[in-house]
Amino acid sequence: MQARNHKLRGFSLIELVVVVVIVGILAAIAIPRLSRGSAGAADSALAGNLAVLRKAIDLYSSEHGGAFPTATNFASAMTQYTDASGTISATPSTTCIYGPYLRSIPPLPIGAAKGNNGVAAATGSGVGWIYTAATGVIQANTTTEADISGKLYSAY
């Protein structure tokens, strides 16, 4: 008897359909997870920016006898030198020995005011951060915007 030599020349239609179905299932699982990734990155950036701002405010307060910078001079007080009474100077001197606490005010990474780095006591144009000078509290300039879990960005 003579053995037959069969050579397979490709995949059957059923094999191709099975592969396409598996790829479709993987895509259906992966695409929603990937789209949530960018929102999660913005949430993390907001939390990180707030942590940096709050630490700078706390350091300013500890070096200035418990006083906080005013809302009108917040950016200057955080990015320049100050003396014990809070007088601001662009250069260090024998009296202006404190600071700077930040290189620059970080921009808001989320929401309608995204990209703004202004600081004010109330919402407004060009304002990324809302700051209460009496308590040293700073928060994102967002009203009803929330993260994927429903937590308001203004409550971060």
Side-chain angles (χ1 to χ4, degrees):
M1 288 191 134
Q2 189 176 23
R4 295 187 182 182
N5 213 357
H6 293 286
K7 292 184 179 179
L8 299 176
R9 295 203 171 239
F11 299 105
S12 71
L13 181 60
I14 292 178
E15 291 170 327
L16 290 174
V17 169
V18 168
V19 168
V20 168
V21 168
I22 290 172
V23 168
I25 291 170
L26 291 174
I29 292 170
I31 289 174
R33 290 181 186 261
L34 292 175
S35 65
R36 285 193 301 254
S38 64
D43 297 347
S44 295
L46 173 63
N49 288 349
L50 281 168
V52 167
L53 287 166
R54 288 171 178 157
K55 286 179 183 176
I57 293 168
D58 289 344
L59 182 56
Y60 180 96
S61 174
S62 68
E63 290 181 341
H64 292 84
F68 297 108
T70 65
T72 54
N73 74 356
F74 182 85
S76 297
M78 292 289 111
T79 59
Q80 295 181 21
Y81 296 91
T82 59
D83 65 8
S85 65
T87 303
I88 298 168
S89 172
T91 58
S93 67
T94 56
T95 57
C96 293
I97 58 172
Y98 304 113
Y101 303 97
L102 300 169
R103 289 185 182 178
S104 65
I105 306 297
L108 185 66
I110 49 88
K114 180 180 180 177
N116 292 323
N117 66 346
V119 179
T123 60
S125 177
V127 175
W129 308 101
I130 305 299
Y131 173 67
T132 307
T135 59
V137 172
I138 193 160
Q139 62 187 31
N141 181 15
T142 59
T143 52
T144 59
E145 297 152 321
D147 63 14
I148 195 162
S149 67
K151 183 177 180 180
L152 293 175
Y153 289 125
S154 58
Y156 268 54

